[in-house]
Amino acid sequence: MNLFQLIQDRPPCEDTEQLTRSPTRAGRRLYTRSLSRSPGRNDVPDLSDTDQSAISVDARDSSTEREKRDLLTTEMKLEKARARREELHRNREIRVMDKHQQAIQRARQNIQYQKERLQEKTSKVAHVIARRHLLEENHRDRILVSLENKLSDAVHRAEEICKKKQIKARNIRRAEKAEKRRVLLEYERRSAVLSVMDRRSEMAQKNVQLLLKDRQIKAREEIEHAQLVSRRVKAAKVLQRTVRSILGVRDAAREGAAAIQIQCWAPWRIHVACRRLMTSEVGNLSSSPLACLKSTLCAMGYSSPSLSCVNPSPSFEALTMEMNSDETLASVKRFLLIFDPIMGSRTCVSARTLLTAFLVTQQPNEVIGPKRGKDHCSRLLEKTSHRVVKSLVQLAKGVHGNANSSSQWTALVTRAASCILSYCTVFEIWKNADIEDLVAQMSESATQSWMAYTIATEALSYIEDKENNILVGINGDPFFQHKIRYKSSKKGAYSHVRRVRISLDKLLGTEKGYSVMKDARKNAVERIKRNNLIQKSKQEIDHTCCESLQDESSSSDVNNPDFDTQDTAALGDINEQLVHEILLADDEDIEKQLFREPELSIVDCVDTFMDKFKNGCVDSSTTSDVGAFAFTMEKAFFDQISDEWVLNDNMRGVKEVLVEILSKMRKLVPSRKDLHVHFSSIHADNCARAVDVLSLLLRLAKVMGDLLESPFRAQSTLKWYQISTLFHEGRISEVPFGFTTSKSYIVASLAFIVKKLDLCHADVINFRLGKLTPIIKTNGVSYERSRFNHKYGSSAQNLLATKAWMERLKPDLMDCSLGLPAALRKGFVDELLFVKERISMPEILCLDAARISSIRERAQKIVLTSSLLLLMCNIISFPISRFESKDLIGKVKVYKDTILRLLRSYVSFEDACVKSSDAILSFAEAIIGEKLDDVMCQKLSEATESVLRGVDPVLSLMDKRIKDVFRSACTLNAKDIPSYERLPLQMRSGVSTSQSSESINVAKQKFCTEVSSRALKLGFYGLTDDLVEVTYDANKIINHCIQVHQEIVLLPLADVIRSKVDASSN
């Protein structure tokens, strides 16, 4: 029974019954009303019968009419009620029908939903069953593959065990040979020890002979000194006897006091000095003091025989050269010996101090400097210098004028001694004053360096804390500039503090130098606290962090190396890696990168740049994908700046770019602090209109084109300057280069100037690297050794990973037929490049970790590609040797590069199989020249999938073959090949900017030839160039490692391993 039947079987509505009963009630009401309205008897007046009958007739007539009207009204009402009931009934039926239809629709929907659920449950069950079957099948396949692999491994192990047993059975003769080699090595070691002992004994004999000679010389000097003392004692005794006889002294107790009184007697000392001046031999000196004085005066610019000063006086350099000559210093020392009786052993009187008087008298400005005439000590020094030179000249003139009286000699010698003593005293005071000024300056410099070091340390730690709390967004590291600045500041300040400390130790001594540096550090801390410098640096970092977070939501920066060249201070962190890369690079590659002709850039033609910037398109034929992407991102950045300026009149982005441009200009002239005022950021803040920005750019472009850029780069800058000058001065009304508005043109000009500055920075860095490259090539090996010792120490015990790697090379190290370099090269291939288990990277190869990873990846791709090509040729019956023919070499290169690119791309395994299969099919059809049938296509697809899954036997075969290629390539030592050095046909001075086509690297050519022939023999057709490139990188890595670390690290570790093996065998 459905819903419609239920509705039909419903009993009649109560409303219908009420409607059917309503007429009866109406009639009743009408009758009652009529009765109530009829007049009663009591109400009729007492009339006559005639009147009563007439009145009754009229009454009946009127009542009849009223009844008729009432009946008519009642009928009309009944008709209206009936019509209304019918209308209600129809509406009720319509509603009932609508509800019935809705119920039917809901029932149908429910039935359909039940059907869909049932179908879904059925499909899920089928899908689960199919998936279960697929998983079971895959599980069976994996089990079969693993069983096959285990079986093959077991067979391989059994074969290896059999081979080892056979080899062990035939090893008796080899053991005898090894024993003989061991005995021979023992003899060699003993002979080496004996030779060392002989060499040490010879050195000991030489040392004994040298000691004997030194003792003989000292004994001879002591004998001569004793003879001199004995002569002086005899002279003193003669004097004592003479004085006693003259004075009548008879008491022996007063002889000592008399001797002391005579020796301290000033006239006697002056007399001795005069006697020394006139003698021809003083202290076994060959020449007389007077001759030494005259030669000194002549050397210092006083002509003989008049001993007058030469006009003009000699230059400061000439006087300094004569002053530092050994002959002049020896002459002055001989002359000063005559004043020993007068002055005694005074440390202030020296030959160089006396010669400095001639410098002061003849070149006072060079010696005293700006203090001349201002400082009292400087004036005294100049005055005493003139006096001492004048006294020496008078002494020499007195000798020349034959002054024979003793009083004259005494006066001249006394005056000379007094002038020399006073001059030396003043000179010592003047020098100490300079030392004090120098110490004060060094202390102030150390204080500033300590301030910079402390602030940089605190700022870097604060930046590190900040980095832990924020994430790096699309704008890159917001603290990059701060880290570069503070790292360079910290490094420079620390090195400067060390230099100042060393200078102070040499100047003042260790204790005083430490005290000065301690005071400087204390002053630095006080200044930092007083000026609140650390808090200011933290506020600056916080401001940068806030700006970065705000810019993340409103703008996107460009993060590529072409947009913004890194500051050269960042090279300090990668200096060691940079040196290593230069050492591994070939001379041709370095010359191509650094000494080539300037590469044409997009900004070297201003018309092309403006056209591409305006239209937003880059020619992909002349620009790489990276360059096109970088240009697109840069244009998006500058378009956002232009929209903000044009639409919202917001110049914030324009001013930021101007600040960056001015900063780059300052970095181009870092040492010219006087020019930094012209490139200050204040000029960017003062720009309020488009005219101000354009005028600032014109000034900067004029400086760049005339002074900073090379002539090749400056052409486009000057052309832009000329056109923009005409537009700025109003000579042309249209906006240059077809731009719609002047603001959009100015924004494009900003991008142009930024790119030009980046190119200029790159050229400067390449030039500096070009100058440093010869130094790095010469001293790079010793530099890497020192850096390695600094990191890991001089002992090889700290090199755990290197020791573990060399432990794996025990069989090769113990093989006497192999030398250590050959064993290391073989172990580099077998135990590092193609090792199956995971091992730690040896410390000696940490700088090459990225290169080794790249070599492994490229070798894997070459194995996969060669396996695919070999299987393809076997399936289509095509000789793979034809790949090297001239008609196919182009096609092979194109499809080979396509396959390698697919293998390098990061796609899923299914996509890689599909794309690789398509490439192999296309390659096969291209070399055959016809379309393949379905069976052949199916075979190629299955072979491609098996290779990519790593289960094909050809893959293991090619893996073994590529190991052989790497072994043969790494055993090639370039030093053993003759004519390794490039032989230029022309010799030119200076730095060459172009490479001669006639100069070739014979070693590299021979390496490529041998590796190519070996690769072709093993079936790597079409992949020889890639294989040569990757094996050449491996050869350079291991040969450079052996060159750097063989003597200090590798030989000691190899000796330790060999000794352990010998000890365990014994």
Side-chain angles (χ1 to χ4, degrees):
M1 182 183 293
N2 55 18
L3 183 63
F4 182 73
Q5 291 175 351
L6 292 172
I7 295 171
Q8 286 181 342
D9 295 338
R10 182 180 177 183
C13 183
E14 296 178 357
D15 296 337
T16 308
E17 295 177 358
Q18 292 176 2
L19 290 173
T20 55
R21 292 193 298 265
S22 60
T24 306
R25 291 194 297 269
R28 290 176 182 174
R29 288 193 296 271
L30 181 61
Y31 177 73
T32 305
R33 193 182 305 118
S34 62
L35 291 178
S36 62
R37 288 180 181 177
S38 62
R41 293 179 181 180
N42 297 325
D43 297 331
V44 178
D46 189 11
L47 299 174
S48 64
D49 295 334
T50 305
D51 295 333
Q52 289 179 356
S53 60
I55 292 169
S56 61
V57 173
D58 294 334
R60 282 195 301 268
D61 292 336
S62 60
S63 62
T64 302
E65 289 177 2
R66 283 196 301 272
E67 288 178 357
K68 287 180 180 180
R69 285 195 302 272
D70 292 337
L71 288 174
L72 182 61
T73 304
T74 303
E75 289 177 358
M76 289 175 65
K77 288 181 179 180
L78 288 174
E79 288 295 333
K80 288 180 181 181
R82 193 178 296 112
R84 185 178 179 185
R85 182 183 61 187
E86 291 176 357
E87 184 179 359
L88 291 172
H89 185 68
R90 285 194 301 271
N91 290 336
R92 189 177 293 109
E93 287 181 352
I94 291 171
R95 286 196 298 272
V96 169
M97 290 299 295
D98 290 340
K99 290 181 180 179
H100 176 64
Q101 291 294 333
Q102 290 176 3
I104 293 172
Q105 185 68 23
R106 285 195 298 271
R108 288 176 180 174
Q109 289 178 357
N110 192 10
I111 293 169
Q112 185 67 24
Y113 176 70
Q114 294 293 335
K115 288 181 180 180
E116 289 178 356
R117 287 192 64 184
L118 184 60
Q119 291 176 358
E120 185 178 356
K121 288 181 180 179
T122 307
S123 62
K124 282 184 179 180
V125 171
H127 181 69
V128 169
I129 293 171
R131 184 178 178 186
R132 186 179 300 157
H133 288 320
L134 180 61
L135 290 174
E136 290 177 355
E137 185 178 355
N138 292 334
H139 185 61
R140 285 196 299 271
D141 293 340
R142 287 196 296 271
I143 291 173
L144 291 175
V145 170
S146 64
L147 289 175
E148 291 177 358
N149 292 333
K150 289 179 180 178
L151 182 60
S152 62
D153 292 340
V155 173
H156 180 71
R157 285 196 300 271
E159 292 176 354
E160 291 291 334
I161 291 170
C162 292
K163 288 181 182 179
K164 287 181 180 179
K165 288 182 179 179
Q166 293 173 1
I167 292 170
K168 189 174 181 181
R170 294 193 302 266
N171 268 352
I172 298 174
R173 295 181 61 187
R174 292 185 63 186
E176 293 176 355
K177 290 181 180 179
E179 185 65 28
K180 291 180 181 179
R181 288 196 197 99
R182 246 185 236 108
V183 173
L184 182 60
L185 287 173
E186 186 65 26
Y187 287 152
E188 289 178 355
R189 289 176 184 173
R190 290 180 180 178
S191 62
V193 171
L194 291 174
S195 63
V196 170
M197 292 177 65
D198 293 338
R199 192 162 55 250
R200 288 180 178 176
S201 63
E202 291 176 0
M203 292 296 295
Q205 291 178 0
K206 289 181 180 179
N207 292 333
V208 169
Q209 292 177 0
L210 292 174
L211 288 174
L212 291 175
K213 287 182 180 179
D214 291 340
R215 289 178 181 177
Q216 290 174 1
I217 292 171
K218 289 181 179 179
R220 189 181 301 112
E221 291 178 353
E222 290 176 356
I223 291 170
E224 292 175 355
H225 181 68
Q227 291 175 357
L228 181 61
V229 170
S230 65
R231 284 198 298 269
R232 291 181 178 178
V233 169
K234 289 179 181 179
K237 288 182 178 180
V238 171
L239 286 173
Q240 287 177 2
R241 286 196 298 269
T242 304
V243 171
R244 280 199 300 269
S245 62
I246 293 172
L247 299 177
V249 177
R250 295 288 183 268
D251 190 1
R254 299 179 58 190
E255 290 182 359
I260 293 172
Q261 185 177 3
I262 291 171
Q263 291 176 2
C264 295
W265 192 24
W268 169 250
R269 289 178 174 273
I270 295 172
H271 176 71
V272 172
C274 294
R275 290 290 299 273
R276 287 188 179 185
L277 181 64
M278 299 304 297
T279 55
S280 60
E281 183 177 354
V282 177
N284 290 332
L285 298 175
S286 58
S287 59
S288 65
L290 288 175
C292 294
L293 176 60
K294 288 194 283 187
S295 65
T296 302
L297 291 174
C298 293
M300 299 308 292
Y302 289 86
S303 61
S304 181
S306 60
L307 294 176
S308 60
C309 185
V310 179
N311 194 10
S313 59
S315 63
F316 180 80
E317 289 78 12
L319 290 173
T320 306
M321 188 179 298
E322 289 292 337
M323 175 179 165
N324 292 326
S325 64
D326 295 335
E327 295 179 358
T328 305
L329 290 173
S331 299
V332 175
K333 288 179 181 178
R334 294 189 192 105
F335 171 70
L336 288 176
L337 286 175
I338 67 173
F339 296 103
D340 285 349
I342 300 175
M343 299 180 185
S345 57
R346 295 183 181 269
T347 57
C348 62
V349 180
S350 64
R352 292 185 183 275
T353 304
L354 184 60
L355 289 173
T356 309
F358 295 95
L359 282 177
V360 175
T361 55
Q362 299 185 32
Q363 298 292 338
N365 293 325
E366 297 290 339
V367 179
I368 301 175
K371 291 184 179 181
R372 184 188 179 191
K374 299 178 181 179
D375 187 18
H376 179 66
C377 188
S378 301
R379 290 197 298 269
L380 286 177
L381 178 66
E382 190 173 359
K383 184 177 179 181
T384 53
S385 300
H386 284 285
R387 287 175 57 191
V388 73
V389 171
K390 184 178 178 181
S391 64
L392 293 176
V393 170
Q394 289 178 356
L395 182 61
K397 284 183 178 180
V399 176
H400 186 70
N402 296 324
N404 295 323
S405 62
S406 59
S407 60
Q408 292 179 352
W409 284 114
T410 301
L412 291 174
V413 171
T414 304
R415 179 175 175 79
S418 175
C419 292
I420 290 173
L421 188 58
S422 61
Y423 162 74
C424 291
T425 304
V426 173
F427 180 81
E428 191 72 19
I429 296 172
W430 176 75
K431 185 177 69 173
N432 291 333
D434 283 349
I435 291 175
E436 291 176 359
D437 294 341
L438 180 61
V439 169
Q441 293 176 3
M442 293 173 70
S443 176
E444 180 65 23
S445 178
T447 302
Q448 295 176 359
S449 298
W450 276 120
M451 291 173 63
Y453 180 82
T454 306
I455 293 171
T457 304
E458 293 293 333
L460 288 174
S461 62
Y462 188 70
I463 289 173
E464 186 177 357
D465 295 338
K466 281 285 185 181
E467 284 179 337
N468 296 330
N469 298 327
I470 65 171
L471 296 175
V472 178
I474 58 173
N475 290 338
D477 189 0
F479 306 113
F480 175 75
Q481 296 292 338
H482 293 286
K483 287 194 288 187
I484 292 298
R485 185 180 68 189
Y486 286 122
K487 282 183 180 179
S488 60
S489 176
K490 181 179 179 181
K491 187 176 180 181
Y494 181 72
S495 61
H496 185 260
V497 166
R498 291 187 62 186
R499 290 197 300 269
V500 171
R501 174 65 188 277
I502 292 171
S503 301
L504 287 173
D505 290 346
K506 292 180 179 178
L507 193 63
L508 303 176
T510 306
E511 295 182 358
K512 291 185 178 179
Y514 175 74
S515 176
V516 172
M517 292 300 294
K518 188 176 180 181
D519 294 339
R521 187 167 188 175
K522 189 183 297 183
N523 293 333
V525 173
E526 291 177 356
R527 289 187 188 180
I528 290 172
K529 291 181 178 179
R530 184 169 59 252
N531 298 325
N532 203 11
L533 298 179
I534 294 177
Q535 189 64 29
K536 290 180 180 179
S537 63
K538 290 182 179 180
Q539 290 176 359
E540 183 182 1
I541 294 169
D542 292 337
H543 180 67
T544 302
C545 181
C546 294
E547 286 186 349
S548 174
L549 294 176
Q550 291 175 1
D551 293 341
E552 283 293 329
S553 59
S554 61
S555 64
S556 60
D557 200 358
V558 182
N559 188 16
N560 63 83
D562 294 331
F563 180 73
D564 189 13
T565 305
Q566 300 295 337
D567 191 79
T568 54
L571 291 176
D573 296 334
I574 57 172
N575 194 14
E576 186 178 359
Q577 187 68 35
L578 178 64
V579 171
H580 186 71
E581 294 295 331
I582 292 175
L583 289 175
L584 286 181
D586 293 328
D587 295 339
E588 292 83 3
D589 297 334
I590 294 175
E591 289 178 1
K592 286 178 184 178
Q593 294 295 327
L594 299 180
F595 303 130
R596 62 187 177 185
E597 292 295 329
E599 188 174 302
L600 188 64
S601 175
I602 190 174
V603 292
D604 289 328
C605 180
V606 63
D607 298 315
T608 305
F609 177 84
M610 291 297 178
D611 182 66
K612 292 178 179 179
F613 195 91
K614 179 178 62 178
N615 299 324
C617 62
V618 182
D619 190 5
S620 59
S621 61
T622 59
T623 308
S624 63
D625 295 337
V626 178
F629 177 77
F631 185 86
T632 304
M633 295 300 294
E634 290 172 12
K635 187 179 183 305
F637 173 76
F638 284 102
D639 284 345
Q640 185 178 3
I641 293 176
S642 178
D643 294 340
E644 287 289 332
W645 193 13
V646 174
L647 300 177
N648 302 329
D649 198 17
N650 185 4
M651 293 184 64
R652 178 184 175 185
V654 176
K655 290 185 178 180
E656 288 178 353
V657 175
L658 284 176
V659 170
E660 184 68 19
I661 289 173
L662 293 169
S663 175
K664 291 178 183 291
M665 294 286 288
R666 291 195 298 271
K667 291 176 183 177
L668 285 175
V669 284
S671 58
R672 293 295 303 274
K673 302 296 183 181
D674 54 335
L675 297 179
H676 288 187
V677 181
H678 303 287
F679 306 137
S680 176
S681 302
I682 301 174
H683 300 295
D685 296 332
N686 294 334
C687 294
R689 299 176 300 169
V691 179
D692 301 333
V693 178
L694 184 58
S695 61
L696 179 59
L697 289 178
L698 287 173
R699 294 199 301 271
L700 297 177
K702 182 66 174 175
V703 175
M704 288 173 57
D706 292 343
L707 301 176
L708 299 180
E709 287 186 304
S710 62
F712 175 79
R713 301 287 190 197
Q715 295 177 4
S716 59
T717 306
L718 294 177
K719 183 176 180 180
W720 177 87
Y721 173 78
Q722 294 172 0
I723 297 173
S724 300
T725 303
L726 295 176
F727 175 70
H728 180 63
E729 294 175 356
R731 300 181 187 178
I732 55 175
S733 58
E734 297 180 356
V735 182
F737 304 106
F739 282 87
T740 56
T741 61
S742 60
K743 291 183 178 180
S744 59
Y745 170 64
I746 291 173
V747 172
S749 302
L750 286 171
F752 176 74
I753 297 297
V754 168
K755 294 287 288 183
K756 294 290 288 184
L757 285 171
D758 290 340
L759 280 178
C760 194
H761 276 281
D763 292 340
V764 170
I765 292 173
N766 288 335
F767 174 75
R768 291 176 180 173
L769 285 178
K771 291 198 300 183
L772 289 175
T773 298
I775 301 173
I776 293 173
K777 284 287 187 181
T778 305
N779 306 313
V781 174
S782 59
Y783 172 78
E784 283 197 354
R785 286 174 184 165
S786 63
R787 293 293 300 169
F788 188 85
N789 292 335
H790 179 70
K791 278 186 179 179
Y792 303 102
S794 58
S795 176
Q797 301 300 324
N798 299 327
L799 309 177
L800 301 179
T802 305
K803 191 184 299 182
W805 174 60
M806 292 190 69
E807 287 285 342
R808 302 169 68 92
L809 311 181
K810 279 183 182 178
D812 296 329
L813 292 176
M814 296 306 297
D815 191 356
C816 299
S817 61
L818 289 175
L820 179 61
L824 290 171
R825 293 186 181 99
K826 187 173 180 296
F828 175 72
V829 177
D830 295 338
E831 300 298 334
L832 193 61
L833 291 181
F834 295 95
V835 66
K836 293 182 180 180
E837 60 268 23
R838 184 180 181 86
I839 64 172
S840 300
M841 183 65 65
E843 291 84 358
I844 58 176
L845 293 170
C846 281
L847 293 177
D848 300 304
R851 283 178 177 266
I852 291 173
S853 178
S854 175
I855 288 170
R856 290 172 178 169
E857 183 180 358
R858 287 186 287 171
Q860 182 184 9
K861 301 303 183 290
I862 290 171
V863 169
L864 290 172
T865 307
S866 61
S867 302
L868 291 173
L869 296 180
L870 188 59
L871 286 172
M872 181 196 70
C873 292
N874 290 334
I875 291 172
I876 64 177
S877 301
F878 186 85
I880 195 172
S881 58
R882 287 188 58 191
F883 281 179
E884 298 298 320
S885 59
K886 294 183 179 179
D887 54 342
L888 288 179
I889 193 168
K891 294 181 181 179
V892 172
K893 187 177 186 307
V894 171
Y895 286 98
K896 178 259 298 181
D897 292 339
T898 303
I899 296 170
L900 287 174
R901 197 180 307 112
L902 287 174
L903 293 176
R904 293 191 190 103
S905 60
Y906 296 97
V907 295
S908 61
F909 178 78
E910 291 77 13
D911 294 338
C913 288
V914 172
K915 293 180 180 179
S916 301
S917 300
D918 295 339
I920 290 294
L921 291 174
S922 302
F923 187 19
E925 292 174 356
I927 61 177
I928 291 177
E930 61 183 15
K931 191 172 182 61
L932 299 175
D933 55 0
D934 296 335
V935 177
M936 201 73 72
C937 293
Q938 184 66 23
K939 288 183 179 179
L940 287 175
S941 299
E942 291 175 356
T944 303
E945 186 176 359
S946 65
V947 169
L948 294 181
R949 287 186 181 275
V951 297
D952 198 280
V954 178
L955 194 64
S956 59
L957 174 65
M958 300 309 292
D959 186 61
K960 293 179 181 178
R961 289 182 177 182
I962 201 172
K963 285 183 184 179
D964 294 336
V965 175
F966 270 86
R967 289 193 193 100
S968 60
C970 289
T971 53
L972 289 175
N973 192 359
K975 293 183 178 179
D976 298 334
I977 301 175
S979 302
Y980 175 67
E981 295 291 331
R982 294 186 296 111
L983 303 176
L985 300 180
Q986 299 177 2
M987 296 296 293
R988 296 182 180 180
S989 61
V991 179
S992 175
T993 58
S994 62
Q995 180 185 6
S996 176
S997 60
E998 298 177 354
S999 61
I1000 58 174
N1001 193 333
V1002 181
K1004 187 174 181 179
Q1005 281 192 351
K1006 187 172 181 180
F1007 178 89
C1008 296
T1009 304
E1010 293 187 6
V1011 175
S1012 298
S1013 62
R1014 180 68 176 172
L1016 291 175
K1017 289 179 182 178
L1018 296 177
F1020 291 96
Y1021 290 93
L1023 295 163
T1024 53
D1025 295 336
D1026 303 274
L1027 194 53
V1028 165
E1029 182 181 356
V1030 68
T1031 52
Y1032 187 64
D1033 288 342
N1035 180 277
K1036 287 192 296 184
I1037 289 172
I1038 187 60
N1039 285 333
H1040 180 72
C1041 176
I1042 292 173
Q1043 181 186 4
V1044 175
H1045 302 291
Q1046 181 176 3
E1047 298 294 333
I1048 301 175
V1049 177
L1050 299 175
L1051 276 175
L1053 284 177
D1055 292 337
V1056 170
I1057 293 171
R1058 287 169 181 165
S1059 62
K1060 286 183 179 179
V1061 173
D1062 293 337
S1064 62
S1065 62
N1066 294 331

